[in-house]
Amino acid sequence: MANTKNHNISYIYLYFATILVCLVLPSCYTAKNRTASLPPDMTLDKPSLKTKKQTSPPPKKASTEKVRTEFSRQNEIRDSLVKTEGPDTKKDGISDSPGKSAEKISSRKAGPRITYSFPVTINHQVKKYISLFQQDWKPTFKKWLERSSRYLPLIEEKLDQSDLPLDLAYLPLIESGYSLTAYSRSHAAGLWQFIESTARHYGLQINSYIDERRNPLKSTDAAIRYLSDLYEEFGDWQLAVAAYNTGRYKIIKGIRRYNSKDFWELAEKNYLYNETKEYVPKLIAAIVIAKNPEKYGFNNLNYASPFAYDTIKVKPWTSLHKISLACDTDLKKIKELNRDLKRQLAPPGNKPYEIKIPAGTKKLASRNLPRIHAIIHTRYKTHVAQKDETLSEVCRRYNLNKTTVLKANNLKSARLKKNQRLRIPYQTKTYAMLDTPPSMEMAAEDGFILHRIEGGETLSHISLKYRVPVHQIAAWNGLNNVHNIRAGDKL
């Protein structure tokens, strides 16, 4: 009987112990895992311009200072929650959550803590690009990082003025490597890689004389307007930059088809192009490395000097060669500052055009520019006629008319013999700085020809007659519009 009683007491103890274990262990497990991942509704740093869309009217924009204070508060909260565990996380400060719910973290280094204004998600796709940038693509990525300092201050200032996340300044890092002359297979050009239709929609001018996609200031303004519209559309920066890559309608259709506004969920589907699936991870990897390059093996970077310049207003058709002479600067430097000019000329129009010149040269250029005059010289090269070659074929090859070739060679017949040597005229242009600004009288004394415009004559006809480029005649005579000439006027 006593044994039975003792057995009953043992069963009672065992029963209560089991209940206690069931109550305590889940709590411990929950407490342990609370340090390994963030709540699903918590992002790294909320973008500074806008919050997620609501049915009620959006609140007023917070000031930049208030937003940055909020960023710091969120970073402190996140750092109190995120604990790195295991050998991998101790090594690089990155930890993973399996599946869709990738962990959102902040990077750390000795000294001031690095924070992000773009939502940084670390998962295996992002780590893949971090590894690629560190290894296979390291020489190229290093060049991009060194070039970034030329345009980052300019871009960040404009983003700050528009109250957008400053980390968007790293978007050109993966778009163009901060190269103004970058051109893609899809015909996208410039720092922000605009295609023509989007560029025109956001106010960039593109014609045979100018391509403002290669203007760092104007293209950045256009990119900010475009990114603002995309965020207004989707309320999420990862979706916004994905739409920047693939187009807004592709993202809209994906959201409707899969009923999800999470980029990573859309990327898992067989819907987005591979380039777009990799675009956001690539951007995040670039941001993480660019904000702490030494940590990822990019040491002793030779950063480029910031984009600095003065401006001077010049007449239409003014040559960059002439401007370089006025500034006493190498022509290459003037070209670098004015990559948007396709023909190395100030474009035609009714208004003066603003040219960028090296910082500190404005006074010198303003003083010298009126004194510089272009001079056309005629030179000759030799062409040896081939068997059965005709004069018409020779003229087409050198873009000349028959009369010019016949006169240059004192020929009366257009028939050519094999191995006959022909003088082929061509022109060179030089610039001379005069003591005083040139005038019509000086031009006549120096051997220039004054041409009286006949009825029905065009500048193209005159150009062909004297073998002088149209733009040069326009520049010599101060013509804003090459079509605006009248019979009786003198050129």
Side-chain angles (χ1 to χ4, degrees), residues 62-76:
S63 67
T64 304
E65 191 63 36
K66 289 182 179 179
V67 171
R68 288 175 178 165
T69 303
E70 179 63 17
F71 288 167
S72 300
R73 188 183 69 80
Q74 290 182 1
N75 286 323
E76 291 172 2

Side-chain angles (χ1 to χ4, degrees), residues 129-130 133 141 145 170 173-174 281-291:
Y129 273 102
I130 290 177
F133 291 149
F141 196 75
L145 286 175
Y170 296 103
L173 184 60
I174 65 167
K282 191 176 179 181
L283 173 61
I284 292 173
I287 292 173
V288 169
I289 294 177
K291 299 190 83 166

Side-chain angles (χ1 to χ4, degrees), residues 126-343:
V126 175
K127 283 189 174 183
K128 179 187 80 170
Y129 273 102
I130 290 177
S131 178
L132 279 173
F133 291 149
Q134 287 179 289
Q135 299 173 25
D136 297 357
W137 298 0
K138 187 170 184 178
T140 300
F141 196 75
K142 180 182 179 182
K143 187 187 300 182
W144 294 352
L145 286 175
E146 291 178 336
R147 196 186 291 150
S148 67
S149 56
R150 182 161 175 79
Y151 301 107
L152 267 177
L154 178 155
I155 298 171
E156 287 179 335
E157 181 181 0
K158 288 182 174 292
L159 287 168
D160 191 42
Q161 291 170 354
S162 301
D163 208 14
L164 292 185
L166 299 188
D167 287 351
L168 291 175
Y170 296 103
L171 196 61
L173 184 60
I174 65 167
E175 281 286 355
S176 64
Y178 293 102
S179 171
L180 296 181
T181 57
Y183 193 80
S184 74
R185 289 174 297 177
S186 58
H187 309 296
L191 202 66
W192 295 89
Q193 288 292 282
F194 277 108
I195 60 173
E196 279 198 30
S197 57
T198 307
R200 293 180 193 278
H201 180 76
Y202 283 94
L204 297 181
Q205 188 178 0
I206 304 171
N207 54 43
S208 58
Y209 293 95
I210 190 168
D211 187 346
E212 290 182 339
R213 292 177 295 177
R214 293 192 168 98
N215 184 311
L217 291 86
K218 294 182 179 180
S219 65
T220 297
D221 289 336
I224 286 174
R225 291 193 295 272
Y226 187 23
L227 288 165
S228 298
D229 288 348
L230 291 173
Y231 184 80
E232 192 73 35
E233 179 84 36
F234 301 111
D236 178 271
W237 278 116
Q238 291 180 348
L239 286 177
V241 297
Y244 187 91
N245 174 259
T246 193
R248 58 188 293 270
Y249 291 112
K250 184 75 173 176
I251 300 299
I252 290 172
K253 290 178 182 178
I255 291 172
R256 290 174 180 172
R257 178 179 297 183
Y258 299 105
N259 194 28
S260 173
K261 294 192 71 175
D262 184 282
F263 167 78
W264 303 104
E265 289 185 3
L266 293 180
E268 287 181 351
K269 310 297 182 183
N270 187 24
Y271 175 72
L272 295 176
Y273 303 118
N274 287 335
E275 180 186 344
T276 306
K277 290 180 180 181
E278 296 176 357
Y279 188 77
V280 174
K282 191 176 179 181
L283 173 61
I284 292 173
I287 292 173
V288 169
I289 294 177
K291 299 190 83 166
N292 194 3
E294 294 83 5
K295 176 180 176 181
Y296 296 95
F298 293 91
N299 300 304
N300 303 318
L301 294 175
N302 185 21
Y303 284 113
S305 301
F307 189 68
Y309 60 92
D310 284 337
T311 60
I312 185 171
K313 290 185 178 181
V314 299
K315 295 178 180 179
W317 309 106
T318 302
S319 166
L320 294 188
H321 195 162
K322 180 177 180 179
I323 295 169
S324 71
L325 186 60
C327 297
D328 194 20
T329 303
D330 186 53
L331 177 60
K332 182 180 178 181
K333 180 67 174 177
I334 302 295
K335 289 180 182 178
E336 288 175 355
L337 291 172
N338 297 276
R339 290 294 188 189
D340 49 337
L341 297 181
K342 299 167 75 172
R343 298 192 180 186

